[in-house]
Amino acid sequence: MTQLQAGAATDVGRVRQINEDRFLADELLFAVADGVGGHQAGEVASQTSVETLLRAFTEGEHTTEGLVAAVEAANSAVWHLAQGSREKRGMGTTLTALALVQEDGEEQLALTNVGDSRAYMLQQGELIQLTEDHSLVEELVRDGKLTPAEALTHPQKSIITRALGMEPVIQVDSWEITPYQGDRILLCSDGLTNELSDERIASTLRQIADPQEAAHDLVRQARASGGSDNITVVVVDVVDDGGRSGKASAALAGSKTSTKAAGAPTVATAQPDLEQTGSRLAAPPAPAPPQARRPSLAPPPAPVKAKRMTWRVVIFLVAVLAVLGSAIWAVAWYARGAYFVGIDSEQVAIFRGRPGGLLWFDPTLVERKQQPTGAELLPAQRVQLDAGHEVSSKAAADRYVNNLRQELELRRATTTTSPTSTTTTTRP
Ligand code: MN
C-alpha cells in the first residue's frame, strides 16, 4: 500500500488584497488552484474548481481517467457559473491536481494540469518540473522565441493561455507517475515560482523533512522575497510504496547503467517513468511497459497537440489585434491628418480633420479668419465652404483663405469703380 503524507500552506502575499488561490489536501487528492477575474470572481472560480474536483473525483473512478474527468467537471462548473452573472463572466482558474489512483491493479500517482500553477518532483535530491505552463511566455520559450531568463522578467508573464472556466470544454494535460518511497511532489501557484528560483525551492525541499513545515517555509520565503502575488504550496511525500522500490532495486541490481552509489536505484532505463496520458480527445495512451521504472530526470514529453492548438490561437489573436490596431491607427491618421476650410459662426475658418468628422474623430477648429465673412463669399464659394474645402496642410489652408480675401478685395475694388461688372479671379 502506498502511503502519502502531505502539508499545505497559503498566503495572500504582501501586495494583493484578497487570496484567490485555493488548495486541496485530502487523503488521496491534492490540488492547487489560482483564480483570475475581477470583483472577487477569481476567488469564486478557484473555490468552485477545488470543491467540484473533490466531489467528482470522490464519486467517480479512482483512475487517471477519473481524475481527468473530475477536472473536466470542475471546468464545466466554473464555466456555468461564469455564464450566470455579468461580474463573473470571464473568470477562470488554473488547476494542478495530483491523486493516488489504481491503474491495472498498480497504484500510481495521476497528475493533471491546466494553467500556470506547477507540479515538481524532488527525487534523490533532484528537482524536476513535471508540468508545462500554459502561459504565453512559456510557449514563446518552448518555441525558442524567448530565453528562460527573458521569460522570468517578461511583462506578459502572467498571461495564461489555458484556464478552467473559459470554455465549455477544456483540454487537460495528464501524466502517470509511479510512486517510490522518498519521492516528494510539490504543487504550487505562480506566486511561489515567481519569487523563488528552482534552486532555492529544491534546497528547501531537501532540508526540511516534514511536509507541513516545508510548505510553510516555502510560503514564508516567497513572502520575504516580495510576495507580489498569492502564494500556495502543497507538499506530498510518498512515505511508503508497499515495497515497490525494494523490488525495483532487486530488478536493477547489477545493472551496468546504475552509476550512483546511493541506496535507492537510479535511472536505469532510457524510457521516462512519467507518462503523458493525454486528454480524452487525444489518442489513447500507450500501454505501460511491464517493468518497474524510475522517473527520468528529463522533463515529461510535451503535449504537442495541445501546444500547437494553443499557439495557433495565440498567433491568430495577435494577428487580429495587429490588424485592428493598424486599422484604428490608419483611420485616426486619415481622420486627423488633414485640414479643411469651412464656415464657423459665419466666418471663414480652418479646421483640422475631415469635413463632418470620421467615425468618432470630430474635426477641431484651428483658426477663425476675420475676413472674408460668410456673407461676403460668392454663392459658389459659400457652397464649397459649407461642404468643407479639403487641403493637405495648414499652410495650404492659409493660402486658400488668402486667395479668398484677395479675391474679395479685388471684387470690392471693381465694385466701387464699376458697379455693374463683377470679376471673379481665382488663383491656383
Ligand atoms: Mn497567481
Side-chain angles (χ1 to χ4, degrees):
M1 275 289 283
T2 302
Q3 299 271 339
L4 304 175
Q5 192 189 334
T10 186
D11 192 276
V12 68
R14 286 157 61 180
V15 174
R16 302 286 172 92
Q17 296 296 308
I18 46 173
N19 193 345
E20 297 187 316
D21 284 3
R22 289 293 183 273
F23 69 81
L24 185 66
D26 200 57
E27 212 179 328
L28 303 174
L29 179 64
F30 311 89
V32 164
D34 178 353
V36 289
H39 304 285
Q40 310 192 354
E43 219 181 354
V44 175
S46 54
Q47 179 72 29
T48 305
S49 76
V50 294
E51 278 173 6
T52 312
L53 177 78
L54 178 60
R55 187 168 351 106
F57 181 75
T58 308
E59 288 167 2
E61 277 185 24
H62 288 191
T63 59
T64 303
E65 208 174 295
L67 181 66
V68 170
V71 174
E72 288 168 345
N75 175 67
S76 122
V78 178
W79 191 77
H80 282 294
L81 210 54
Q83 301 311 300
S85 84
R86 181 173 292 183
E87 300 90 72
K88 293 189 181 69
R89 198 149 300 162
M91 74 175 179
T93 183
T94 72
L95 185 63
T96 304
L98 180 80
L100 187 63
V101 299
Q102 291 280 339
E103 287 291 334
D104 305 319
E106 283 279 322
E107 283 179 311
Q108 294 281 319
L109 286 170
L111 173 69
T112 61
N113 184 52
V114 176
D116 69 350
S117 294
R118 289 180 181 172
Y120 288 84
M121 155 97 86
L122 184 80
Q123 188 172 64
Q124 296 169 355
E126 297 260 14
L127 190 72
I128 316 154
Q129 186 179 328
L130 300 176
T131 52
E132 198 172 63
D133 295 351
H134 302 135
S135 72
L136 190 58
V137 294
E138 286 306 313
E139 286 178 10
L140 290 171
V141 170
R142 285 197 286 274
D143 283 21
K145 295 190 172 74
L146 271 186
T147 67
E150 287 167 337
L152 284 176
T153 54
H154 199 278
Q156 261 105 55
K157 216 168 133 77
S158 59
I159 294 179
I160 48 178
T161 48
R162 239 196 273 177
L164 262 68
M166 304 304 214
E167 303 281 344
V169 176
I170 190 85
Q171 185 149 24
V172 182
D173 288 356
S174 65
W175 298 265
E176 259 166 40
I177 306 156
T178 306
Y180 291 99
Q181 191 174 322
D183 287 351
R184 171 169 266 191
I185 288 160
L186 167 73
L187 307 181
C188 60
S189 62
D190 65 338
L192 181 80
T193 48
N194 285 340
E195 303 292 357
L196 303 184
S197 65
D198 283 7
E199 290 73 34
R200 198 147 154 207
I201 293 171
S203 88
T204 306
L205 289 175
R206 278 193 291 260
Q207 281 164 29
I208 305 179
D210 182 72
Q212 183 59 56
E213 278 173 32
H216 265 308
D217 200 68
L218 285 171
V219 168
R220 183 192 59 74
Q221 289 184 57
R223 246 191 93 93
S225 30
S228 59
D229 192 5
N230 307 147
I231 311 146
T232 301
V233 171
V234 176
V235 176
V236 182
D237 285 345
V238 179
V239 292
D240 189 353
D241 60 13
R244 189 184 292 108
S245 53
K247 275 180 252 163
S249 290
L252 294 166
S255 163
K256 282 175 187 170
T257 51
S258 185
T259 49
K260 286 189 190 169
T266 54
V267 180
T269 71
Q271 275 182 296
D273 203 35
L274 299 167
E275 264 179 66
Q276 171 95 37
T277 54
S279 81
R280 296 178 139 199
L281 300 173
Q291 239 188 338
R293 289 163 294 123
R294 300 294 296 168
S296 79
L297 297 180
V304 175
K305 208 170 175 185
K307 184 171 129 190
R308 281 201 193 131
M309 283 284 292
T310 315
W311 184 232
R312 236 176 257 157
V313 168
V314 170
I315 287 178
F316 174 72
L317 286 177
V318 167
V320 166
L321 286 176
V323 168
L324 272 179
S326 44
I328 289 168
W329 183 84
V331 168
W333 179 84
Y334 177 76
R336 307 281 309 132
Y339 291 83
F340 68 92
V341 181
I343 307 282
D344 185 67
S345 306
E346 277 309 298
Q347 281 183 308
V348 171
I350 298 173
F351 295 86
R352 185 161 183 202
R354 299 284 163 180
L358 189 68
L359 297 180
W360 56 93
F361 300 100
D362 284 326
T364 48
L365 178 66
V366 176
E367 190 182 352
R368 202 180 286 139
K369 300 284 187 182
Q370 291 300 314
Q371 269 199 317
T373 63
E376 289 167 330
L377 294 169
L378 292 170
Q381 293 171 331
R382 176 75 204 218
V383 168
Q384 192 177 32
L385 293 201
D386 275 338
H389 177 77
E390 294 191 58
V391 288
S392 60
S393 65
K394 172 70 165 58
D398 284 330
R399 274 200 304 276
Y400 185 81
V401 176
N402 271 343
N403 281 350
L404 286 177
R405 198 181 297 128
Q406 284 173 14
E407 191 273 329
L408 172 68
E409 279 161 14
L410 193 63
R411 212 161 2 115
R412 278 190 181 144
T414 38
T415 315
T416 25
T417 49
S418 60
T420 49
S421 78
T422 306
T423 319
T424 315
T425 319
T426 40
R427 272 159 227 209

